[in-house]
Amino acid sequence: MVHAHHLEATLIAASLGARPLLHHAHTSLAEELPTYGGGVLAGVLGAGLDRTLAAACDAAVALSERGAARLRRHGVAQVLGLPPGVDVSELHGDGERARREWALGTEDWVLYTGNLDAYQDVPVLLD
């Protein structure tokens, strides 16, 4: 099995004929691509890529139930909704409560919920 993360990996794995292919969807390209520019045209291209990726995979993982439902609508029979390991409701509210609850002290702090791969440039964030 090839566990392909997002667009690039899924496109490469599918073009190589990898099977079974598990697509790990991080976002909807119909929603993501317009954020880089291109407006409506980028959204149309993204929607087409979303459908193409769904057709190319045997199963998928989505980060939300909304994403899982979209993949099912595009024809993926087996979709697992696997939300991030952070309870978003814990991130809302006032900073003072968070400081008390997690003993953060008075210094500045950042909550980073991404992975620690080098391309994330975590040292830049910390600087």
Side-chain angles (χ1 to χ4, degrees), residues 45-118:
L45 174 63
L49 287 168
D50 285 336
R51 286 188 300 277
T52 300
L53 290 173
C57 66
D58 300 297
V61 173
L63 297 178
S64 67
E65 185 50 45
R66 183 171 159 244
R70 184 190 72 252
L71 288 163
R72 288 184 195 103
R73 280 193 311 275
H74 290 320
V76 182
Q78 295 183 47
V79 181
L80 173 64
L82 188 63
V86 173
D87 182 351
V88 175
S89 69
E90 292 179 7
L91 304 178
H92 297 286
D94 69 58
E96 292 308 313
R97 181 191 56 82
R99 287 181 190 285
R100 286 190 308 274
E101 188 172 323
W102 296 319
L104 296 172
T106 59
E107 291 87 29
D108 293 337
W109 55 276
V110 173
L111 175 62
Y112 176 72
T113 60
N115 65 51
L116 298 176
D117 290 337

